[in-house]
Amino acid sequence: MDKLALTFELSYYLWGLLTLTIPIAIHLLSKHRGKLVPFAHIALIKVKNSPQLNQARLTQWLLLILRLLMLLVACAILAQLVWSKNADTSANLVLVSNDWLAQSSDAEKQQLFEDLNSSQNSRLFIIDGLNQSLSQRKLESKALLAFQGDTSSTTTPPLNIWANLAEISKTLPKAQKIQLYTTNRLNQFTGQKVAITNPIEWHIKSLPNTLPETKLTASLTIVSDANYQQQLLYVRGALDALATTLPLDLNIEYLDSSLVQEDLDLSQQQSHIIYLADAPLPTELVNSATSIISSEQLQGYTQADFPLTLATKLFAAQTKQWFADNARLSNQQITELPNLDLVNQQQTNTGNAQSLHLWLILILVILFMTERLLSEWPNKHSRQVEGN
């Protein structure tokens, strides 16, 4: 259950409350009365209380209260009074990644389900990106057992869990502990680490390392002319070397540069074109989505690592995706976060805090105007009496 509270972000400014003694002291000192001197012949005169005197006394008390309130509001403005809505720190906040749900067994889900039910105040949320608020990612505990992930596929959307935790922690008190269930897949921790103020209890499921189950595929057209015959031999040799070491599925077509003008639909047939010719490429091919690999991009034909250079050009996107999905991080790499001292100390973590700064300034202006009007009222009233 959420708690509502008024808190001061800069509480040391509350020492300014000592200034409340100033108007009180002035009020008490102004009450000093002169010495009474008895005077004959008026002892039998009946003394009446003047209405003006009673009004003056009332005005003085009202002015004192207004001045005290002005100082009180000014201190609240300096101390940055906020209306905060903080989550209950006793709540059991559990975050689960989609990848953990997809890769966990029924027994693991059942265990988490029982742990949630044993807690009196548990909240379960799914981490799936930064484009949704925490309330929109809420998952009922009973939905755990019904969740069915595609465990046959190793492909999972990239995620930066550190950044997600940092965003979520901004809505929580610093003392709120977070339980996180995730996997050690590299694709779940893309991007830089972020310092997190809340304590994290990590539950990391270790996934086994896997080998690629599918072959690297490419539809390749090699365009060449008579001036690049030597480079063409090196490219053929590099492709033969790759075919003996990697699981490849290549569809290779060799084409003379003079025939390119007659076959402009290459961009619709092939995924890559290696262009080893002096003649410029047709504009239709340059502007197409086909990957064009020119002779300038394939430097070092005679070097031993030339097959690796060619493989990087042909299969970079496929190997990068496979590496992100199948590479694993150690628990230390996941749980070691930047030093919290590097976090901006001026940032406050008071939950969903709403500043009352503008309202306090408005109240202070109203009090000041009322005090000015009330302080001038006795003088104005006395002038009216004298005029009459």
Side-chain angles (χ1 to χ4, degrees), residues 75-255:
C75 291
I77 293 175
L78 293 175
Q80 295 187 14
L81 180 66
V82 296
W83 180 268
S84 60
K85 183 179 180 181
N86 294 337
D88 188 0
T89 56
S90 62
N92 185 24
L93 182 63
V94 181
L95 303 177
V96 182
S97 68
N98 270 319
D99 196 38
W100 187 91
L101 289 172
Q103 301 298 329
S104 60
S105 62
D106 292 340
E108 291 170 326
K109 295 176 185 178
Q110 180 67 36
Q111 182 62 46
L112 178 57
F113 176 77
E114 294 175 357
D115 294 341
L116 290 171
N117 287 341
S118 62
S119 178
Q120 295 181 352
N121 191 7
S122 296
R123 297 185 299 165
L124 179 65
F125 300 92
I126 295 181
I127 295 182
D128 54 2
L130 295 177
N131 57 339
Q132 292 180 334
S133 64
L134 191 62
S135 60
Q136 292 175 318
R137 288 177 262 180
K138 189 171 183 180
L139 178 68
E140 298 295 335
S141 58
K142 60 183 180 181
L144 276 174
L145 303 180
F147 186 92
Q148 297 293 331
D150 185 9
T151 57
S152 61
S153 175
T154 59
T155 302
T156 184
L159 192 66
N160 188 341
I161 288 183
W162 299 308
N164 277 264
L165 286 176
E167 287 295 318
I168 292 173
S169 65
K170 293 179 181 179
T171 65
L172 302 174
K174 292 182 179 179
Q176 176 73 64
K177 184 177 72 172
I178 302 175
Q179 295 187 43
L180 175 63
Y181 289 79
T182 183
T183 64
N184 63 340
R185 194 193 301 271
L186 174 62
N187 215 10
Q188 299 297 281
F189 299 91
T190 58
Q192 295 182 350
K193 292 184 176 181
V194 183
I196 302 172
T197 56
N198 296 77
I200 308 296
E201 182 179 331
W202 296 88
H203 299 271
I204 303 173
K205 180 177 178 60
S206 297
L207 302 179
N209 293 319
T210 59
L211 295 175
E213 299 178 356
T214 59
K215 294 182 179 181
L216 300 174
T217 61
S219 299
L220 179 62
T221 295
I222 302 177
V223 180
S224 63
D225 60 15
N227 296 330
Y228 286 85
Q229 292 304 308
Q230 189 64 37
Q231 290 84 345
L232 179 60
L233 293 177
Y234 288 127
V235 171
R236 283 186 171 182
L239 291 174
D240 292 338
L242 292 177
T244 59
T245 56
L246 295 176
L248 300 181
D249 184 9
L250 291 177
N251 180 17
I252 305 175
E253 179 183 0
Y254 295 92
L255 187 66

Side-chain angles (χ1 to χ4, degrees), residues 1 23 50 57 86 103 157 232 295 380 385:
M1 183 178 179
S50 173
R57 290 175 179 175
N86 294 337
Q103 301 298 329
L232 179 60
S295 59
K380 183 178 180 181
V385 173

